[in-house]
């Protein structure tokens, strides 16, 4: 069967050259970078190179990169690591209503411990209004965290503005750039953020590895204690195959960024137009312009997302409805609800997220397939009767 | 995630639609929950001779709707009242745990349709039985 | 150059079949197990199988396995996860003086927050005396954690006895089995422990993945919050290639355990005898019988460990002195000091840790090489003068 | 970890040993720290004509000892007093940060040997200069 993978926001395939390098670091350069011998030194060299490569993707200094087990751990380390140092009782944190669960569930955990948290509302396109942030800042605010680009609807936030507001008040600023890294040109110095999370498996690197950028001078309390790895900011034997794979994937992403972006945007626009043009009562979710190059999120009225996904899957098309983490359960996406969608529209959302491996043929396959699926499901939908 | 049986009933749903002149109508669920099932039945001499469903919902919701229509068709209303959501899930070879609650209400919809039929029989002016479902996970 | 890797306690090479499987899960079955589509379901199947395989290695039920990013995170999750639930202020924890830094630095962190910690002493062989544990137990003790086998000297603790003492008092018991798993026959039910840490890269699986066994009914507060992964006990997109690799490595370890053990013990004994017989003023560290099949730790008087390591390395032999994490710095091993060794002897320690890939030829190479190295270093050592 | 130069001086150390009838002796370090360096010198007309080291310690300790003997041999004692631990590390192409403290004391040992030589010259009954080093990381 033809298989078209359009769920690259959930995870991406590891590219061939990266997989090869990882293989080499599993069977040949398998040493522990802490060891003094040849195997250890080979590993250390790989670690150092990867740190430069990852730093290079976001304009950081290698010393500012702490490798973690993924985007979730990076987010947890940023949020909890700052709170552990700056204090929780009587303190205040600002984030947005559309963050990934790695942020929201971390702040909720801190709320249970006494931290006050403001969840900034977003407009119908998913944008955070800088004025709202400005008003939310308090003397006791220790950190603000707003994602660079949303994983569900792809909306890109005005991070530079938001970060500047915080800088002016001496408040630390973190951004979750897990979806943006590898798609947008990111420069931590230009954005002037203090902390940034990224994840390897969203940019054609392996799963189980990510990084937190920690600006020089900014400190976080580690989550994991043990050996003195990562300059005492994250203990545990380094996941070296993962790290070198992440490094190479980051390096290649940096090199290919302009063409990748162009490629994805062209496919995305073709897909959006094809779906909205081919299916009545469908709408685009997220911002029409300020959106990730690879994100196409639509709501299709009168039908439910999972039933569309399953039908797409039967025809070999992999997509998602809401974020991957929740698509196994029927909770409506908190992101879509925060943007003001009705429960029905939120339940009827589909996310197609493109990848570098996708072609116009893939997109056309979806465009030609989806209308029939929707028609069949609408036929059995009690909500649809007489609405067309 | 889903058993083959579920996918079979989902991909080729049986008894889709709405009877034009039903003897009973039952609806469960709500769009907040993400699942709505609407069952219409035809009853002749106490036997369900025809049954149709319309469902807005996930794979499990559609498959259980489809399955329940097959299960109760040809049964007496008393027999059909004995068919539980659990029976339906079992007939499908099981459902994922997170689908056992909201998305497995097809038998309830049938029961509501039968109740509606019985109320009509007893002369009540009953248009349709409806039952909103509480979605615990949204609490 | 001939390269002989004898640092398998630091990390092991990934075996070929495991590396192949990992490759497959990076480029082909690369889906996110949370996704409903084919790619996601393939991933989910891999995840489920791996969980069974890892559970199988230690006699656990698959639901009792929580995948982590390694042994360090598993240790942290056990220690901090229990403390976060049971309380810190006014509470008490027992561990030993020779635990891995992942334990000791975690308990030290909790001490800073108000937890009282007892560090049980060990005898000259590195053994914890059950009586000492019995006396240390208090009404406010929430957890005891004693490692199954030590990473530096290989001493195997009487875990069943220690755990039984805790069970009798209703105190939770954790054991760090990172070094033991894959070498010893471990059964969590027979040992009757509540929590157990294991790590993939010590048993010929990939780095960056480990597991915490959590006995059914026992709860820990997660360290990472986010999606509902791992039954809400550890958030983050699953490191699926790592997990399936760990699974296969665990499965193969289980199958090969008896022969592996025999192979390693034979090599170990040959190595110990060869070194002690060939070098005057040398001694075995750790317990003569109750020791890991692969561990040979010796102290060689009048010479310092790193200088031996470097000379061995020049001849292609990879070993360690103290644990890998600290061998880059000249801190004497806390384990050796706790066993009563002088600083000089601690500084003069060498650890050779064997692996399944080693041969008698490897061992003989060390036996024939080391005496010359020691002789040369003793010649330049001011401590040696006139001592022979 | 170590530069090629360090490994060269470590693997083929120069001037190993102890002069039988030295004009000055200096020892730094202690076994707790893991590094002990002992330098013996021969001085003729204010010039260090011969110098030997014995060292118990890590690679850096041995390499710096070896390097410093090469650096001061043939120098006047005044010139040799100008050679710092830092010079030695630089001559080796640098040392890892964690080796800059305890393991880079060879120049200190030379200075002690020179001090010892000068004390003997001035008639003091000085057997040897010793200096215990505090190991901060053991605090
Ligand atoms: C915006 C965002 N943040 C965080 C994460 C978590 O990263 P990871 O999957 O590496 O744990 C994801 C992806 O799942 C994401 O899309
Ligand atoms: C006994 C022991 N515990 C914990 C660890 C940490 O495990 P990992 O290297 O997977 O973080 C190690 C190995 O480094 C170990 O030997």
């Amino acid at each position: 069967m033809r298989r078209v993978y359009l769920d690259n926001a959930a995870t991406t395939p590891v590219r061939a050259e990266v997989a090869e390098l990882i293989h080499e670091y599993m069977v040949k350069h398998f040493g522990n970078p802490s060891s003094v011998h040849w195997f250890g030194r080979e590993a250390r060299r790989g670690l150092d190179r990867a740190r430069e490569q990852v730093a290079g993707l976001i304009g950081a200094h290698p010393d500012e990169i702490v490798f973690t087990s993924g985007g979730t751990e990076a987010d947890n380390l940023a949020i909890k690591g700052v709170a552990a140092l700056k204090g929780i009782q009587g303190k205040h944190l600002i984030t947005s209503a559309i963050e990934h669960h790695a942020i929201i569930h971390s702040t909720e955990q801190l709320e249970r411990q006494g931290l006050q948290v403001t969840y900034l509302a977003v407009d119908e396109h998913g944008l955070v209004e800088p004025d709202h942030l400005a008003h939310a800042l308090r003397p006791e605010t220790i950190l603000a965290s707003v994602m660079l680009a949303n994983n569900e609807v792809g909306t890109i936030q005005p991070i530079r503005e938001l970060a500047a507001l915080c800088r002016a008040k001496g408040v630390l600023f973190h951004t979750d750039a897990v979806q943006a890294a590898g798609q947008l040109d990111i420069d931590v110095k230009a954005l002037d953020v203090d902390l940034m999370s990224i994840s390897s498996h969203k940019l054609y690197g392996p799963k189980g590895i990510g990084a937190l950028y920690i600006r020089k001078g900014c400190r976080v309390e580690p989550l994991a204690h043990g050996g003195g790895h990562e300059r005492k900011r994250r203990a545990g034997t380094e996941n070296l195959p993962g790290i070198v794979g992440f490094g190479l994937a980051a390096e290649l992403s940096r090199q290919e960024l302009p063409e990748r972006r162009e490629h994805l945007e062209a496919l995305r626009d073709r897909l959006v137009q094809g779906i909205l043009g081919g299916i009545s009562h469908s709408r685009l979710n997220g911002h029409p312009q300020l959106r990730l190059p690879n994100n196409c999120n639509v709501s299709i009225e009168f039908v439910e997302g999972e039933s569309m996904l399953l039908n797409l899957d039967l025809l070999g098309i992999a997509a998602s409805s809401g974020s991957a983490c929740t698509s196994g359960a029927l909770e409506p996406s908190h992101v879509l609800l925060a943007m003001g969608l009705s429960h029905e529209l939120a339940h009827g959302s589909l996310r197609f997220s493109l990848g570098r491996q996708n072609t116009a043929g893939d997109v056309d396959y979806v465009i030609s397939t989806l209308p029939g699926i929707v028609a069949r499901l609408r036929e059995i939908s009690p909500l649809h009767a007489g609405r067309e | 995630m889903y058993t083959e049986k579920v996918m079979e009933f989902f991909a080729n749903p049986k008894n889709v639609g709405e009877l034009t002149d039903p003897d009973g109508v039952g609806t469960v669920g709500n769009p907040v929950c993400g699942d709505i099932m609407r069952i219409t039945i035809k009853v002749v001499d106490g036997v369900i001779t025809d049954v149709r469903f319309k469902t807005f919902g996930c794979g499990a919701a559609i498959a259980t709707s489809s399955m329940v229509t097959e299960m109760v068709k040809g049964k007496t209303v008393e027999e059909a009242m004995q068919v539980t959501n659990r029976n339906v899930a079992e007939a499908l070879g099981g459902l994922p745990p997170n689908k056992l609650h909201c998305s497995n209400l097809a038998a309830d919809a049938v029961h509501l349709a039968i109740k509606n039929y019985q109320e009509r029989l007893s002369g009540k002016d009953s248009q349709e039985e409806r039952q909103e479902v509480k979605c615990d996970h949204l609490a």
Side-chain angles (χ1 to χ4, degrees), chain A residues 301-308 310-311 313-314 327-332 343-344 347-348 376-385, chain B residues 1-2 7 10-13 16-18 31-38 53-60 62 98-99 103 137-138:
Chain A
E301 287 190 63
F302 319 129
V303 288
E304 189 273 341
E306 192 204 89
S307 62
M308 288 188 278
L310 291 172
N311 274 301
D313 182 56
L314 289 171
S327 68
L330 265 186
E331 301 179 29
H343 275 81
E344 263 166 86
H347 277 305
R376 275 186 44 223
L377 287 172
R378 282 181 174 170
E379 212 165 283
I380 68 174
S381 168
L383 301 178
H384 185 237
Chain B
M1 181 169 88
Y2 287 131
M7 286 311 294
F10 167 77
N12 303 298
V16 168
E18 214 166 326
V32 173
C33 225
D35 290 305
I36 303 176
M37 304 173 191
R38 183 179 167 83
F53 81 90
K54 278 209 167 186
T55 292
F56 166 87
C58 67
I62 291 174
N98 61 340
K99 299 290 184 180
S103 312
H137 60 274
L138 295 178

